[in-house]
Amino acid sequence: MPRCEQLPPAVDTPVDAVISRMRALDAELHPRDGVAVFNRVYLAVTEAVDRYVDTGRFADAHAAITLDVRFAQRYLAAVGTVADERRPPACWRPLFQFRRHPGVRPLQFALAGINAHIGHDLALAVVDTCRTLGCAPVDLEDEFDMVGDLLLSLEERIREDLMPGPDLFRIADPLTHLLGSWSLERARDAAWTAARALWALRELPEVAGEFTERLDTAVGFAGRILLTPLTEPGGR
């Protein structure tokens, strides 16, 4: 299988610069802010990818770095859009709209952010990377799968760490039911299919644009469901 053409990173931001920006956000945001919750999760993932690169876990480190950075840039762009009081992509709007809602639990914020980033941004990041490196999605499949496997390995830990404790057991059942309707593995598979479809449509910009818009809207709708407010004991 042909690998991506080995081109220099060009305008790509180094991974360490992306990590620095996420750490700065972590320091800026209130810990209970929904965006801060997702940012901490994503920072852990990005740091893990960086360690994988440093230890030679990726067959094509340059392709992995480029995909990782292009991917992160879409999240950081959404954060910047909101900071500038502009409208973010539909996939991110629920998280920014509900980020301070007292009835939304940290696990919901984390998975809503993952939903937006995997469901929408990942497919576009694959296409961005292919254009940068002069390759096709099939040439990035190994890197895509390894990043996806890393996310899957962290999902269970995320759910365990952020699930409400015994003092909030009355919302644990509805929360489990709500979040059981969403799967990171299915979202990752759908992102790969969407990336291949967008690449096939690259010579049809109007159709590709419509596909991207519908994808953005659908992922945003799923995010809004994930952020359904849950009532705490005593109606608090």
Side-chain angles (χ1 to χ4, degrees), residues 32-213:
R32 295 181 63 183
D33 184 315
V35 177
V37 174
F38 168 72
N39 188 78
R40 288 193 294 273
V41 170
Y42 192 29
L43 173 59
V45 171
T46 306
E47 289 173 334
V49 170
D50 195 35
R51 289 193 295 271
Y52 274 32
V53 170
D54 290 343
T55 56
R57 299 281 294 275
F58 290 102
D60 188 335
H62 181 51
I65 290 170
T66 306
L67 176 59
D68 187 44
V69 170
R70 294 301 194 195
F71 190 30
Q73 284 173 335
R74 289 193 168 272
Y75 158 62
L76 295 174
V79 172
T81 296
V82 174
D84 294 339
E85 299 184 348
R86 292 180 289 118
R87 193 172 175 83
C91 62
W92 285 106
R93 285 174 207 158
L95 181 60
F96 287 108
Q97 289 169 354
F98 285 80
R99 62 194 294 181
R100 297 180 181 89
H101 197 295
V104 178
R105 312 311 304 170
L107 180 55
Q108 292 175 266
F109 288 131
L111 295 186
I114 294 172
N115 169 71
H117 206 35
I118 298 292
H120 174 265
D121 293 353
L122 184 54
L124 273 62
V126 170
V127 174
D128 292 343
T129 301
C130 288
R131 287 174 173 155
T132 298
L133 298 180
C135 64
V138 66
D139 301 315
L140 294 174
E141 190 167 7
D142 290 345
E143 288 70 35
F144 181 97
D145 286 344
M146 186 166 287
V147 172
D149 289 344
L150 177 59
L151 285 163
L152 287 172
S153 71
L154 290 173
E155 183 185 18
E156 184 176 352
R157 192 182 78 188
I158 291 166
R159 290 178 181 264
E160 290 177 353
D161 290 349
L162 298 180
M163 180 62 76
D167 56 325
L168 295 178
F169 71 94
R170 291 168 71 180
I171 69 166
D173 283 348
L175 180 59
T176 300
H177 176 77
L178 176 65
L179 300 180
S181 64
W182 184 84
S183 163
L184 193 156
E185 186 170 10
R186 289 197 300 268
R188 181 190 67 168
D189 292 345
W192 181 247
T193 299
R196 293 175 60 199
L198 283 169
W199 188 250
L201 293 171
R202 65 190 183 281
E203 302 299 332
L204 300 170
E206 290 186 9
V207 179
E210 183 176 346
F211 181 94
T212 301
E213 183 178 353

Side-chain angles (χ1 to χ4, degrees), residues 2-40:
R3 298 300 295 157
C4 294
E5 186 179 339
Q6 296 297 299
L7 300 179
V11 298
D12 284 352
T13 305
V15 176
D16 57 356
V18 168
I19 290 174
S20 294
R21 178 60 186 133
M22 290 183 190
R23 287 175 177 165
L25 281 172
D26 187 52
E28 293 167 12
L29 299 173
H30 190 283
R32 295 181 63 183
D33 184 315
V35 177
V37 174
F38 168 72
N39 188 78
R40 288 193 294 273

